[in-house]
Amino acid sequence: MLYALMAMVAQLPVPTAPGAPPLPPLHGGRAEMTCPVGGARFEAVTTPVYSTMGRRPDEKPYSDVPFPRPIAECPDNGLVIFADYSPDEIRQLATWIATPTYQTMRSTESPFYRAYWLAVKVGRPMADALELLLPAIWQAKQLDGDDRRRPKTTRYQNVFIDGVEKMPAEVPPDDRLWLQEQAANALREMGKWAAADKMLALAGTLVPQTTRPALAIYFKRLNVVIARHDPSDEPLDMIPDVQAALICKRKKPATPFEVAYCAKPEIAKIYQ
């Protein structure tokens, strides 16, 4: 999956040879790039090394750097660079980014949504295209802030859910299972309990076939959270203990489940 490439493993510093350029900053810097369409040279933010410490149910990592990480974008034509493009894709991209629709989206849509839109247009595998919507959803949650209606988030979640429901038959079982689980989680966050149950039941038919044990574990945990009608982005029993403990310390538990979970000895000892 495309976005899995961003889950880089932290590396130890490597000494440079005499006269060699200095290594980039540990958690970010700028790299010179060439736009695949038009050839313009520009600098993009880069994060060569970082670590992650678990993930939320929506796949957003806990990390020492903010997520989503910036995606490179050509400043002149707005092309977002989400992959290495083939010559045929570059020809197609040149056409699509020149459309009024795409140019309007530069000021209205997340660059990750535009990456999804372009991935679909050039015929990238649907599983890879849909994955690009996840960071768009993370970004939308930040923009929506305390607005309980979450208009930006909900719109992108609906696009994602619709795409999952219309996935072609050739999507591999593991990818299909993972995407259906993510769609069920999005429906849970939206408080659509019957739809979340239905989507998770579809995912459940693939659990016996999965080659990724983590997907089976996620299924079981999500099933519990949906059953108790918990719409939170960070349900305490689906995130790392340290993160759960921080939430318990930061805010007063609001439900009987949260009270009991925060009182668990292994959680309480972290934040007391």
Side-chain angles (χ1 to χ4, degrees), residues 174-191:
D174 278 346
D175 288 348
R176 182 177 293 274
L177 169 58
W178 180 73
L179 289 166
Q180 287 176 339
E181 289 177 339
Q182 284 301 305
N185 182 66
L187 288 162
R188 174 191 68 81
E189 291 180 353
M190 296 162 72

Side-chain angles (χ1 to χ4, degrees), residues 52-117:
T52 60
M53 298 152 283
R55 293 172 180 265
R56 304 190 320 184
D58 65 1
E59 289 292 334
K60 182 177 179 180
Y62 292 103
S63 178
D64 48 359
V65 298
F67 272 82
R69 305 307 304 137
I71 188 171
E73 180 174 345
C74 302
D76 53 350
N77 56 36
L79 172 63
V80 284
I81 305 175
F82 59 85
D84 291 329
Y85 303 129
S86 69
D88 180 59
E89 286 176 331
I90 291 173
R91 286 190 290 271
Q92 292 184 66
L93 288 166
T95 299
W96 286 113
I97 64 174
T99 62
T101 297
Y102 186 83
Q103 289 302 312
T104 298
M105 285 196 294
R106 293 180 67 181
S107 60
T108 61
E109 303 290 0
S110 160
F112 295 99
Y113 176 83
R114 285 185 278 132
Y116 157 78
W117 190 86

Side-chain angles (χ1 to χ4, degrees), residues 233-245:
D233 290 344
E234 298 175 283
L236 299 179
D237 49 350
M238 285 196 74
I239 60 177
D241 283 354
V242 170
Q243 301 301 329

